[in-house]
Amino acid sequence: MVEPGLIRAAQSGDRDALITLLREIETHVYRTAYYIVNNEQDAMDAAQEALIRIYTKIGSYEEKAQFKTWIQRIVTNICIDKFRRNKPTVSIDEHDMVFHEKQNVEDEVLSAYAAQDIRSAIDQLPDHHRAVVVLRYLQDFSYNEIAESLDLPLNTVKSYLFRARQQLQTLLHDYQKGGVRG
Amino acid sequence: MNCQEVMEYMQRELDGDLDEYEKATMTNHFKQCPDCAAMFERLKTLSAELENLPHVTPSYSLVDAIMPQLEQLSFEAAGSVVEPQEAAMPKRRKSPARGASSRLRQLTGVIAACLVAGTFIISYNAGWFNGSHSNNDMSQAEASATAADSPMANYDTSELKQFVATDPQASSEVKSESLDTGMSLKTNVTEQGGIVSEQDGGGVAGGSSSELGASDVGSASGLTAPDSNKENPDTGTDTSISQSPTEDNSRTLESLSGEPEKAPLAPVAVVSADGVYSAEVVGYVLKIYEASDHKLLLETSRKNGQIANLSWSEDNKILNYEIHLESGGIEKYAVDLNTLKDEKATH
């Protein structure tokens, strides 16, 4: 995504390189913020704060981590710590993994879910489940890259992602049937 | 293979994480279990929808929007090689500006010049000087806790305090000398200016530097003191300057010394080369913060001398510093950030 040479130049104090670098990543930063906070204005604020933090902290980035996971870690932390306070989310029960109900095969008319429904379903996920989904689908991150970004063990990332998809599937299935239960 | 296990396979398949054998196992299960097959279809639909979520972009350039803040940060960092502070963030506003030593150096020059100018004006008023002798003496003795009658006396006190704070050993001598004539006052001021720049060069002189900050505040009316100096009785001085009937020269003084308002002298801070830690000297105590969020990691006991010559080890894990005892001796200390222990250095 970002050329290593540019990162090194930015780290060594080349301010123009640092600004160029910020321009290259601003959309990625914003996109994550947008889907985590689910609000354009908050996303702008969170993304700007993340860019300022990247600007000031560029010297502390170490090449042993991927740059893209380093910046996603900064933006997800800001979003979760500052902009998601007190937002209601559904609880995901560890032992409630598989089928909530036996679903009848016959009512499986597979129509596309409305994007708006998907966004509001994502918004109901617990913070870290949502962050995992956003990194997986909006940043195309692998399990490992998500683990690195969120500082979570690999198995936790998988279980968050799997549970989040099941939860989303249940929520969207309920929307489709015309009513949100619970 | 049960449905629970197949669910895990389905999930992994969505991420392209299944090998051929696992895929075949899953497909075989679907043949016997229509519920799982249906669930997989729904999950695939969901996953495809998630992949197709709009790749939103900001409606205006975020970097352009924050450019003024970034420039501010660069400006604040310009005087030092350490990393820029997050001073542009609203929550940081109150913390004293660090890493601006060059600007500080310029300002101390301005302040010294102001004081010299002020003193000349004062020394013209010889009659007043004699009359206010006792007044000065008293307020000095009480560490200027009470606001004195004359605005001149207040000015004098704050200046004196400045000098005393800079060099405690010389204080008694200075007191008598400075009350003598306008000339000797001028000498003090010059000396004080010299000491200030020396501190800058040396890098560190926490206790006196923060005292200095407070004294400046006292003479430049209407300023708030740096956080770390709450115990300084500068407000008494401050209010009386602005409230008492003003003489021409005190006005001059105010306007002259009003300039440094924007940047009160900050306590000395030394940020580690990797930008992770920030060590600050506050009075006779050394505090180490996490530079990113200013979280206090360690606060040493009160030392019995000036804390000076802070330096970080190459791996940025050990902070070495010295304590300059009043007796003239130097004690070397080291704080290990791994263990958070403050101990006398072995060598």
Side-chain angles (χ1 to χ4, degrees), chain A residues 13-30:
Chain A
D14 181 343
R15 190 169 177 276
D16 291 342
L18 183 48
I19 299 291
T20 308
L21 182 152
L22 292 181
R23 289 193 193 284
E24 282 189 22
I25 62 173
E26 73 166 36
T27 303
H28 294 277
V29 168
Y30 172 75

Side-chain angles (χ1 to χ4, degrees), chain B residues 192-208:
Chain B
Q192 189 243 320
I195 285 162
V196 168
S197 37
E198 191 183 299
Q199 284 172 350
D200 281 337
V204 172
S208 56

Side-chain angles (χ1 to χ4, degrees), chain B residues 15 32 58 72 76 119 148 150 179 193 254-255 261 263 280 283 329:
Chain B
D15 302 317
Q32 305 143 30
Q72 173 81 10
E76 278 167 21
T119 313
S150 152
L179 292 173
E254 269 180 58
S255 59
E261 272 189 39
E280 285 184 34

Side-chain angles (χ1 to χ4, degrees), chain A:
Chain A
M1 180 168 88
V2 182
E3 216 189 300
L6 186 63
I7 300 169
R8 267 180 233 124
Q11 284 191 299
S12 67
D14 181 343
R15 190 169 177 276
D16 291 342
L18 183 48
I19 299 291
T20 308
L21 182 152
L22 292 181
R23 289 193 193 284
E24 282 189 22
I25 62 173
E26 73 166 36
T27 303
H28 294 277
V29 168
Y30 172 75
R31 197 167 290 159
T32 296
Y34 178 83
Y35 282 101
I36 292 183
V37 301
N38 194 31
N39 165 325
E40 189 182 341
Q41 191 50 54
D42 283 352
M44 290 298 234
D45 293 347
Q48 289 183 15
E49 192 171 333
L51 291 169
I52 290 171
R53 198 173 291 181
I54 291 162
Y55 180 91
T56 57
K57 296 272 166 256
I58 189 73
S60 70
Y61 164 69
E62 290 172 29
E63 280 184 34
K64 66 185 179 202
Q66 281 196 73
F67 188 66
K68 64 176 181 179
T69 62
W70 185 74
I71 61 171
Q72 291 298 328
R73 177 182 226 158
I74 289 173
V75 66
T76 51
N77 279 339
I78 288 174
C79 289
I80 291 173
D81 292 350
K82 288 206 171 166
F83 292 89
R84 287 294 308 193
R85 289 271 158 83
N86 305 321
K87 273 215 176 187
T89 57
V90 294
S91 66
I92 291 187
D93 188 343
E94 298 249 356
H95 306 291
D96 198 16
M97 271 288 280
V98 186
F99 306 91
H100 293 263
E101 56 190 285
K102 283 278 177 190
Q103 277 151 344
N104 191 338
V105 192
E106 283 160 33
D107 73 3
E108 292 323 313
V109 183
L110 294 172
S111 59
Y113 302 118
Q116 182 54 45
D117 284 351
I118 295 181
R119 273 183 48 202
S120 64
I122 292 173
D123 198 43
Q124 291 186 55
L125 293 174
D127 289 338
H128 284 95
H129 292 73
R130 185 174 50 256
V132 169
V133 168
V134 170
L135 294 181
R136 162 71 178 80
Y137 286 101
L138 276 309
Q139 301 295 341
D140 283 322
F141 276 13
S142 68
Y143 297 149
N144 273 315
E145 287 165 343
I146 299 170
E148 201 172 282
S149 303
L150 301 178
D151 202 16
L152 292 171
L154 191 61
N155 281 333
T156 307
V157 167
K158 283 193 205 175
S159 91
Y160 280 11
L161 179 61
F162 296 175
R163 274 185 245 150
R165 273 195 296 235
Q166 270 192 278
Q167 187 70 38
L168 289 175
Q169 189 276 326
T170 305
L171 286 166
L172 291 167
H173 191 70
D174 289 347
Y175 289 161
Q176 260 191 338
K177 284 199 198 155
V180 183
R181 290 183 296 251

